[in-house]
Amino acid sequence: MDVFNLIAFLSTCFLIFLNLASASLDFISPSESLPDDKTIISADESFEPGFFSPGSFRNRYLGIWYKKIPVRTVVWVANRLNPINDSSRVLTIKKTGELQLLTRDVAALWSVNLTREARNPILQLLNSGNLVLIDLSDANSGTYLWQSFDYPSDTLLQGMKMGWDLTTGHEWRLTAWKNSDDPSLGDFSWGIELHGNPELVMRKGSQEYCRGGPYNGQRFSGTEISRPNPVAVTIFVFNEEEVYTSYSLKNTSLISRAFLNQTDYTSQQYIWGEDTQTWNLYSYMPRDFCDTYRRCGAYSYCDNTQLPPCQCLEGFEPKSPSKWSSMDWSQGCVRKMPLNCQQGDGFIQY
């Protein structure tokens, strides 16, 4: 080989090496790991998982966020209950497929245990933002050994489910961050509850906060009937194996997310504005004052067209007039006069 051919050969090898080195991988295998200063990127470069510190906190978490959005927006957190506070952290995958988040001081701060061993596992980030554990020796089955979409944080992405796997009893439920600096569990959650027909229920702690009404075969009966949604298609599935709601975007170029806001106790749907480079609020729930459950107390009703919106039923008056006038309606109403059926008292139809 003459010197010119040798130079050409070495140059080609060098270019190939540079391309391989610069290529972003969307998976890790048992021979690799994900240390604190590295990330992997989904094939379409939409999402990126790695370690981050929220807000002013110094604790580190393993999470997933949007890759191309300059405002870091985290959509999933692995170790919400176990923050990392030392300088050594790494995500590893064993040859059997088990995931482990290791630190210098704790053997396994967070882990994923499987019901069966994998023969050729990889951890891959899909374009949907779903972090999945796949057994390449069984890749044609279309099933995942584990997936982050099964363990939502505070965010619902398109394709994610909120509801129940009826065969295993596993629930897909959103739970808000405690605050913007702390991704641990807040007291605000949202899911489907199975008391008769499935029903969307938000809870503030153990108390019902907002309800979407039971599913009536077409929609959740407590939601308003409105014009078709131009942005997304709502999906509802109810069969012997699972019950869940989900959504898909009509325009696949849009970037949208729904998340729970612990500060004002709402679920909010946002769309990313490329021109403004900000998240634009599209919809939210509860929609108005009267959507909040038990807002007005016993023997009263809520009407947004009246002031105050809480009104006592006919024949009733505020139990505590002083609190009622200060807009505290929690004690509700009581009868103006004792009930006397012999004197003609009866039921009034509303």
Side-chain angles (χ1 to χ4, degrees), residues 112-130:
V112 171
N113 296 318
L114 305 177
T115 56
R116 66 178 179 87
E117 290 188 357
R119 288 180 290 174
N120 189 14
I122 63 167
L123 182 67
Q124 184 176 24
L125 180 63
L126 305 183
N127 293 337
S128 61
N130 193 9

Side-chain angles (χ1 to χ4, degrees), residues 163-179:
W164 292 84
D165 182 333
L166 299 177
T167 60
T168 64
H170 180 76
E171 183 181 14
W172 304 296
R173 188 178 189 89
L174 300 185
T175 306
W177 286 26
K178 183 170 289 186
N179 58 59

Side-chain angles (χ1 to χ4, degrees), residues 41-143:
I41 302 173
S42 61
D44 67 353
E45 298 187 343
S46 293
F47 293 94
E48 180 179 29
F51 292 91
F52 74 100
S53 294
S56 59
F57 267 33
R58 299 179 63 181
N59 289 335
R60 300 289 280 175
Y61 295 87
L62 174 66
I64 300 173
W65 55 86
Y66 291 97
K67 168 66 177 174
K68 295 181 179 179
I69 292 179
V71 180
R72 175 171 286 181
T73 306
V74 177
V75 299
W76 182 78
V77 182
N79 55 314
R80 297 183 71 178
L81 300 179
N82 297 293
I84 305 168
N85 52 26
D86 68 34
S87 59
S88 174
R89 48 253 169 183
V90 62
L91 178 66
T92 65
I93 174 173
K94 291 185 175 182
K95 292 182 179 180
T96 56
E98 292 178 323
L99 298 178
Q100 288 190 333
L101 179 55
L102 305 176
T103 68
R104 180 179 54 199
D105 300 327
V106 182
L109 194 67
W110 174 84
S111 63
V112 171
N113 296 318
L114 305 177
T115 56
R116 66 178 179 87
E117 290 188 357
R119 288 180 290 174
N120 189 14
I122 63 167
L123 182 67
Q124 184 176 24
L125 180 63
L126 305 183
N127 293 337
S128 61
N130 193 9
L131 189 64
V132 300
L133 190 61
I134 303 172
D135 189 347
L136 292 179
S137 62
D138 192 27
N140 293 330
S141 66
T143 60

